[in-house]
Short mmCIF file of all heavy atoms in Angstrom, two decimals:
data_model
loop_
_atom_site.label_atom_id
_atom_site.label_comp_id
_atom_site.label_asym_id
_atom_site.label_seq_id
_atom_site.Cartn_x
_atom_site.Cartn_y
_atom_site.Cartn_z
N LYS G 115 -6.65 19.57 -10.49
CA LYS G 115 -7.48 18.66 -11.43
C LYS G 115 -7.55 19.40 -12.75
O LYS G 115 -7.43 20.61 -12.89
CB LYS G 115 -8.87 18.45 -10.86
CG LYS G 115 -8.86 17.58 -9.63
CD LYS G 115 -10.36 17.36 -9.17
CE LYS G 115 -10.33 16.49 -7.90
NZ LYS G 115 -11.80 16.39 -7.49
N TRP G 147 0.10 13.08 -8.54
CA TRP G 147 0.10 14.20 -7.72
C TRP G 147 -1.21 14.31 -7.11
O TRP G 147 -2.29 13.95 -7.68
CB TRP G 147 0.56 15.42 -8.33
CG TRP G 147 2.09 15.63 -8.43
CD1 TRP G 147 2.89 14.82 -9.21
CD2 TRP G 147 2.90 16.47 -7.60
NE1 TRP G 147 4.19 15.32 -9.02
CE2 TRP G 147 4.19 16.24 -7.96
CE3 TRP G 147 2.63 17.40 -6.69
CZ2 TRP G 147 5.27 17.06 -7.40
CZ3 TRP G 147 3.59 18.17 -6.11
CH2 TRP G 147 4.96 17.85 -6.50
N GLU G 148 -1.39 14.93 -5.97
CA GLU G 148 -2.61 15.31 -5.34
C GLU G 148 -3.46 16.21 -6.23
O GLU G 148 -2.68 16.83 -7.12
CB GLU G 148 -2.35 16.03 -3.99
CG GLU G 148 -1.72 17.35 -4.10
CD GLU G 148 -1.55 18.08 -2.86
OE1 GLU G 148 -2.42 17.95 -2.04
OE2 GLU G 148 -0.65 18.97 -2.75
N ASN G 149 -4.65 16.39 -6.02
CA ASN G 149 -5.50 17.29 -6.68
C ASN G 149 -6.08 18.32 -5.80
O ASN G 149 -7.03 17.97 -4.96
CB ASN G 149 -6.55 16.61 -7.42
CG ASN G 149 -6.15 15.69 -8.57
OD1 ASN G 149 -6.53 14.54 -8.55
ND2 ASN G 149 -5.12 16.03 -9.31
N GLU G 150 -5.45 19.44 -5.74
CA GLU G 150 -6.11 20.44 -4.89
C GLU G 150 -7.55 20.83 -5.43
O GLU G 150 -7.69 20.86 -6.65
CB GLU G 150 -5.30 21.80 -4.88
CG GLU G 150 -4.03 21.56 -4.15
CD GLU G 150 -4.00 21.53 -2.66
OE1 GLU G 150 -5.25 21.55 -2.15
OE2 GLU G 150 -2.95 21.50 -2.05
N TYR G 151 -8.49 21.00 -4.59
CA TYR G 151 -8.41 21.33 -3.15
C TYR G 151 -8.81 20.16 -2.31
O TYR G 151 -10.01 19.87 -2.20
CB TYR G 151 -9.15 22.56 -2.88
CG TYR G 151 -8.60 23.71 -3.72
CD1 TYR G 151 -9.33 23.96 -4.87
CD2 TYR G 151 -7.61 24.47 -3.35
CE1 TYR G 151 -8.95 24.95 -5.79
CE2 TYR G 151 -7.32 25.56 -4.21
CZ TYR G 151 -7.92 25.75 -5.43
OH TYR G 151 -7.47 26.79 -6.17
N ASN G 152 -7.91 19.41 -1.82
CA ASN G 152 -8.13 18.19 -1.01
C ASN G 152 -7.89 18.58 0.45
O ASN G 152 -7.10 17.98 1.17
CB ASN G 152 -7.25 17.06 -1.41
CG ASN G 152 -5.71 17.32 -1.40
OD1 ASN G 152 -5.39 18.45 -1.58
ND2 ASN G 152 -4.93 16.26 -1.15
N ASP G 153 -8.63 19.55 0.96
CA ASP G 153 -8.45 20.13 2.24
C ASP G 153 -9.47 19.55 3.27
O ASP G 153 -9.52 20.03 4.44
CB ASP G 153 -8.54 21.61 2.20
CG ASP G 153 -7.55 22.31 1.22
OD1 ASP G 153 -6.44 21.69 0.97
OD2 ASP G 153 -7.87 23.36 0.64
N SER G 154 -10.30 18.57 2.85
CA SER G 154 -11.29 17.93 3.76
C SER G 154 -11.51 16.52 3.33
O SER G 154 -11.08 16.17 2.19
CB SER G 154 -12.54 18.81 3.69
OG SER G 154 -13.17 18.64 2.37
N ALA G 155 -12.20 15.78 4.25
CA ALA G 155 -12.43 14.43 3.82
C ALA G 155 -13.37 14.27 2.69
O ALA G 155 -13.25 13.37 1.85
CB ALA G 155 -13.12 13.75 5.10
N LYS G 156 -14.22 15.20 2.39
CA LYS G 156 -15.19 15.25 1.26
C LYS G 156 -14.34 15.32 -0.05
O LYS G 156 -14.73 14.82 -1.09
CB LYS G 156 -16.14 16.33 1.37
CG LYS G 156 -17.33 16.12 2.32
CD LYS G 156 -18.39 17.14 2.24
CE LYS G 156 -19.54 16.83 3.07
NZ LYS G 156 -20.57 17.90 2.91
N THR G 157 -13.26 16.09 -0.08
CA THR G 157 -12.59 16.28 -1.27
C THR G 157 -11.18 15.50 -1.30
O THR G 157 -10.29 15.93 -1.93
CB THR G 157 -12.21 17.87 -1.49
OG1 THR G 157 -11.53 18.33 -0.25
CG2 THR G 157 -13.50 18.60 -1.70
N ALA G 158 -11.07 14.47 -0.46
CA ALA G 158 -9.92 13.72 -0.38
C ALA G 158 -9.39 13.09 -1.66
O ALA G 158 -10.18 12.72 -2.49
CB ALA G 158 -10.04 12.58 0.79
N CYS G 159 -8.11 13.11 -1.81
CA CYS G 159 -7.49 12.51 -3.03
C CYS G 159 -7.32 11.07 -2.88
O CYS G 159 -6.89 10.57 -1.74
CB CYS G 159 -6.19 13.22 -3.27
SG CYS G 159 -5.35 12.64 -4.78
N ALA G 160 -7.80 10.23 -3.86
CA ALA G 160 -7.80 8.66 -3.78
C ALA G 160 -6.45 8.22 -3.81
O ALA G 160 -5.61 8.62 -4.73
CB ALA G 160 -8.69 8.12 -4.75
N LEU G 161 -6.01 7.27 -2.91
CA LEU G 161 -4.84 6.62 -2.99
C LEU G 161 -4.92 5.22 -3.73
O LEU G 161 -5.96 4.58 -3.56
CB LEU G 161 -4.14 6.45 -1.65
CG LEU G 161 -3.75 7.61 -0.83
CD1 LEU G 161 -3.27 7.24 0.53
CD2 LEU G 161 -2.51 8.30 -1.63
N ASP G 175 -2.81 26.74 2.80
CA ASP G 175 -3.22 25.44 2.97
C ASP G 175 -2.79 24.98 4.40
O ASP G 175 -1.63 25.22 4.73
CB ASP G 175 -2.73 24.48 1.96
CG ASP G 175 -3.45 23.25 1.73
OD1 ASP G 175 -4.53 23.07 2.43
OD2 ASP G 175 -3.17 22.42 0.89
N TYR G 177 -4.03 21.52 5.68
CA TYR G 177 -4.10 20.01 5.61
C TYR G 177 -4.25 19.58 4.07
O TYR G 177 -4.66 20.29 3.23
CB TYR G 177 -5.44 19.49 6.32
CG TYR G 177 -5.48 19.77 7.75
CD1 TYR G 177 -6.56 20.67 8.18
CD2 TYR G 177 -4.57 19.17 8.63
CE1 TYR G 177 -6.62 20.91 9.60
CE2 TYR G 177 -4.67 19.52 10.05
CZ TYR G 177 -5.60 20.44 10.42
OH TYR G 177 -5.76 20.55 11.83
N ASP G 178 -3.77 18.35 3.85
CA ASP G 178 -4.06 17.56 2.76
C ASP G 178 -4.69 16.23 3.21
O ASP G 178 -4.14 15.58 4.00
CB ASP G 178 -2.82 17.32 1.92
CG ASP G 178 -2.31 18.52 1.10
OD1 ASP G 178 -3.11 19.38 0.84
OD2 ASP G 178 -1.16 18.54 0.71
N TYR G 179 -5.84 15.87 2.43
CA TYR G 179 -6.57 14.67 2.86
C TYR G 179 -6.37 13.62 1.72
O TYR G 179 -6.50 14.00 0.49
CB TYR G 179 -8.00 14.93 3.06
CG TYR G 179 -8.36 15.54 4.44
CD1 TYR G 179 -8.24 16.76 4.81
CD2 TYR G 179 -8.84 14.60 5.47
CE1 TYR G 179 -8.48 17.35 5.87
CE2 TYR G 179 -9.28 15.14 6.61
CZ TYR G 179 -9.15 16.50 6.93
OH TYR G 179 -9.43 17.01 8.16
N TYR G 180 -6.23 12.33 2.10
CA TYR G 180 -6.17 11.28 1.18
C TYR G 180 -7.10 10.11 1.72
O TYR G 180 -7.33 9.94 2.86
CB TYR G 180 -4.75 10.70 1.08
CG TYR G 180 -3.78 11.69 0.46
CD1 TYR G 180 -3.15 12.57 1.35
CD2 TYR G 180 -3.60 11.80 -0.81
CE1 TYR G 180 -2.23 13.59 0.88
CE2 TYR G 180 -2.61 12.74 -1.42
CZ TYR G 180 -2.02 13.64 -0.51
OH TYR G 180 -1.20 14.54 -1.03
N LYS G 181 -7.62 9.37 0.77
CA LYS G 181 -8.63 8.41 1.06
C LYS G 181 -8.19 6.91 0.59
O LYS G 181 -7.56 6.87 -0.56
CB LYS G 181 -9.93 8.68 0.36
CG LYS G 181 -11.04 7.74 0.63
CD LYS G 181 -12.34 8.21 -0.11
CE LYS G 181 -13.50 7.27 0.14
NZ LYS G 181 -14.77 7.76 -0.52
N TYR G 240 -9.00 7.68 6.08
CA TYR G 240 -8.50 8.86 5.59
C TYR G 240 -7.09 9.15 6.28
O TYR G 240 -6.91 8.90 7.42
CB TYR G 240 -9.38 10.10 5.86
CG TYR G 240 -10.79 9.93 5.15
CD1 TYR G 240 -11.78 9.20 5.73
CD2 TYR G 240 -10.92 10.48 3.90
CE1 TYR G 240 -13.07 9.08 5.07
CE2 TYR G 240 -12.12 10.34 3.17
CZ TYR G 240 -13.10 9.60 3.78
OH TYR G 240 -14.31 9.53 3.06
N LEU G 241 -6.22 9.68 5.41
CA LEU G 241 -4.91 10.15 5.90
C LEU G 241 -4.86 11.62 5.86
O LEU G 241 -5.29 12.32 4.81
CB LEU G 241 -3.73 9.53 5.11
CG LEU G 241 -3.63 8.14 5.07
CD1 LEU G 241 -2.53 7.65 4.26
CD2 LEU G 241 -3.44 7.44 6.50
#
Side-chain angles (χ1 to χ4, degrees):
K115 292 181 180 179
W147 277 72
E148 64 172 333
N149 298 133
E150 291 286 5
Y151 305 91
N152 56 331
D153 305 330
S154 68
K156 281 187 176 181
T157 58
C159 184
L161 292 176
D175 203 1
Y177 297 114
D178 282 341
Y179 279 80
Y180 297 88
K181 182 179 180 180
Y240 294 89
L241 301 179

